[in-house]
């Protein structure tokens, strides 16, 4: 009242005094309102892996708080779904069908996308942490961009083991990674073979696949499916495995079924062999049981499908800023919350990390674990930066002990393992195809809704949670159904 009376007296106008008083009140209230505005929080996602695509979708602009900014960094604008790649090699899918368009997905979600190569992090200043990215402009000039963050997550998968260590491997072999390069290279080799058949210079094709894991097995079968009709009896395929047998940790019945499949499709499997060198015409191997026993295996085409190996980025971050990685393999070490053991604001998921748990071994390098970790990563990233209505306590990830393994045979059939039971037939392929396509559809921007309604909760459901499952059938009936191998 005193202030209002003073203003009336000073200006001789009640109206003018009232307006001035309102301005004064607003000015006094503004700092308090500003203090109530939550600070901006920045989440950076390095890599468009199976876990991160779920984070991108969940942290869309209509779901995340307005003070949360998300940036995706990847060298490519599309990420290949590893589970469908052998099907692509066998020509059951096209390349676009096995790729998640992460650039358009980020745009749909209102997330910044930086296309470039991560070369390091600046962590000296806790208040100004940044990811360093090499980006190229339209003229091809490379510059380093600093992307600030409060929390960063790494989901970059893995590279092919020993590809750069074994002499001649990187020069002569077709690597399974990057996956898109594998598909393009196989298409090119097919065109060259067709040309040689046409001009009469073709004699025979001998494909050698190095690596007897699931990837090597499926690629051997994919090659048979892709080239068999074209080359007929002039096609031979050899699979080189370093162990005593294929998938030695599976149940005897499953391994026997796999042996039958490899025999059916005429894949020559060589066991207990290690590669010493690759030349332009032969792969030099020696016995894992007797190093003096050596052999040269001829080839016309050679595929390098060995196990997973850490990307150089893990090692460079270890050297640069002390990021905890496993001593011999270079996997980013995380706890059960997918949180770095050395830097709590760094998270990792998928093949690039190793979960350090006193009570349990880290899960194997398989896509299912990256997929299942996605919802956990959504919870923990948002809770870490205070962008979750729930408690800030992080959620542990409990990897499943086993999972349904499905190997495509390239001809519209597939072989599956679950609970020590082998499953085979066209119905198994249809099951695998349904699971894979269902996952891919979740991130197809042409099938995603318009973001026109604000949502209060993140989508942290597992990707298959929405499936309507029929009631369980009787034990005997189920057993008979699972053992069927007909159509």
């Amino acid at each position: 009242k005193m202030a209002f009376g003073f203003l009336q007296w000073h200006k001789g106008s009640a109206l003018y005094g009232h307006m001035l008083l309102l301005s004064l009140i607003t000015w006094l209230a503004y700092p308090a309102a500003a203090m109530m505005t939550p600070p901006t929080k920045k989440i950076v996602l390095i890599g468009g892996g199976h876990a991160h695509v779920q984070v991108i979708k969940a942290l869309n602009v209509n779901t995340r708080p307005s003070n949360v900014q998300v940036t995706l960094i990847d060298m490519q604008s599309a990420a290949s779904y590893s589970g469908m790649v052998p099907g692509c090699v066998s020509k059951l899918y096209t390349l676009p069908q096995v790729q998640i368009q992460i650039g358009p997905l980020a745009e749909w979600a209102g997330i910044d996308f930086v296309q470039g190569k991560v070369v390091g992090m600046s962590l000296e200043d806790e208040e100004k942490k940044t990811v360093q990215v090499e980006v190229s402009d339209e003229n091809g000039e490379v510059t380093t961009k600093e992307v600030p963050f409060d929390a960063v997550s790494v989901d970059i998968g893995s590279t092919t083991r020993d590809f750069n260590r074994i002499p001649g491997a990187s020069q002569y072999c077709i690597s399974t990674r990057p996956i898109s390069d594998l598909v393009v290279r196989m298409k090119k080799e097919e065109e060259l073979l067709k040309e040689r058949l046409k001009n009469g210079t073709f004699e025979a094709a001998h494909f050698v696949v190095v690596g007897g894991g699931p990837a090597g097995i499926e690629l051997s079968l994919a090659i048979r499916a892709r080239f068999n009709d074209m080359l007929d009896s002039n096609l031979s395929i050899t699979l080189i495995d370093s162990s005593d047998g294929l998938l030695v940790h599976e149940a005897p019945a499953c391994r026997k079924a796999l042996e039958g499949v490899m025999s059916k499709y005429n894949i020559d499997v060589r066991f207990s062999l290690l590669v010493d060198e690759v030349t332009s015409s032969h792969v030099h191997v020696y016995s894992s049981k007797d190093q003096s026993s050596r052999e040269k295996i001829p080839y016309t085409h050679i595929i390098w499908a060995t196990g997973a190996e850490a990307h150089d980025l893990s090692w460079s971050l270890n050297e640069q800023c002390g990021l905890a990685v496993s001593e011999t393999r270079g996997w980013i070490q995380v706890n059960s919350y997918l949180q770095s053991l050395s830097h709590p604001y760094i998270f990792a998921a998928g093949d690039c990390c190793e979960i350090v748990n006193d009570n349990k071994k880290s899960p194997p390098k398989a896509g299912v674990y990256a997929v299942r970790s996605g919802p956990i990563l959504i919870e923990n990233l948002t809770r870490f930066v205070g962008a979750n209505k729930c408690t800030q306590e992080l959620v542990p990830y409990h990897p499943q002990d086993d999972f349904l393994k499905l190997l495509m045979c390239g001809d519209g059939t597939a072989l599956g393992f679950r609970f020590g039971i082998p499953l085979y037939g066209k119905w198994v392929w249809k099951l695998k195809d349904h699971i894979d396509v269902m996952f891919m559809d979740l991130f197809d921007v042409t099938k995603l809704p318009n973001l026109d309604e604000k949502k209060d909760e993140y989508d942290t459901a597992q990707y298959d949670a929405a499936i309507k499952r029929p009631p369980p059938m009787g034990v005997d009936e189920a057993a008979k159904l699972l053992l069927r191998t007909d159509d």
Side-chain angles (χ1 to χ4, degrees), residues 90 216-226 237 258 261-262 265 267 407-410:
S90 62
I217 293 168
E218 284 194 296
L219 284 173
S220 299
L221 295 167
I223 292 167
R224 174 63 67 190
R226 182 173 190 137
I237 303 168
L258 177 57
V261 167
M262 301 302 277
Y265 295 99
I267 309 296
L407 303 172
M408 73 100 224
C409 298

Side-chain angles (χ1 to χ4, degrees), residues 25-78:
I25 293 172
T26 302
W27 181 82
L28 290 172
Y30 177 76
M35 290 176 64
M36 293 174 63
T37 303
T40 300
K41 294 294 183 179
K42 298 179 174 66
I43 297 174
V44 171
L45 308 174
I46 300 176
H50 300 352
H52 274 180
V53 291
Q54 297 172 76
V55 178
I56 295 168
K57 185 180 178 184
L59 268 60
N60 65 75
V61 68
N62 275 19
T63 303
R64 67 180 187 266
S66 59
N67 68 308
V68 175
Q69 297 177 2
V70 185
T71 302
L72 169 67
I73 305 171
D74 200 289
M75 294 177 64
Q76 308 294 333
S77 61

Side-chain angles (χ1 to χ4, degrees), residues 218-276:
E218 284 194 296
L219 284 173
S220 299
L221 295 167
I223 292 167
R224 174 63 67 190
R226 182 173 190 137
F227 295 107
N228 195 66
D229 290 344
M230 183 172 72
L231 304 179
D232 196 21
S233 60
N234 294 315
L235 170 65
S236 64
I237 303 168
T238 300
L239 178 64
I240 296 176
D241 187 20
S242 61
S243 64
D244 295 336
L246 295 178
L247 307 186
V248 294
H249 298 296
E250 295 297 332
C254 295
R255 294 180 61 195
K256 184 177 180 180
L258 177 57
E259 289 173 7
V261 167
M262 301 302 277
S263 176
K264 176 182 177 180
Y265 295 99
N266 196 21
I267 309 296
D268 179 26
V269 185
R270 301 289 306 278
F271 296 113
S272 305
L273 292 180
L274 297 170
V275 176
D276 193 31

Side-chain angles (χ1 to χ4, degrees), residues 84-100:
M84 298 175 73
V85 170
C88 185
V89 172
S90 62
K91 302 179 82 169
L92 293 171
Y93 303 115
T94 63
L95 182 57
Q97 286 178 306
V98 305
Q99 289 184 320
I100 298 174

Side-chain angles (χ1 to χ4, degrees), residues 11 18 68 72 95 102 105 115 141 160-161 171 179 190 192 203 254 267 344 368 405 479:
K11 291 294 184 182
H18 185 63
V68 175
L72 169 67
L95 182 57
I102 57 175
L105 181 64
Q115 189 166 345
E141 185 176 343
T160 313
R161 188 190 306 165
Q171 182 177 358
I179 291 173
E190 180 182 13
L192 291 173
E203 294 181 0
C254 295
I267 309 296
V368 64
K405 302 177 182 71

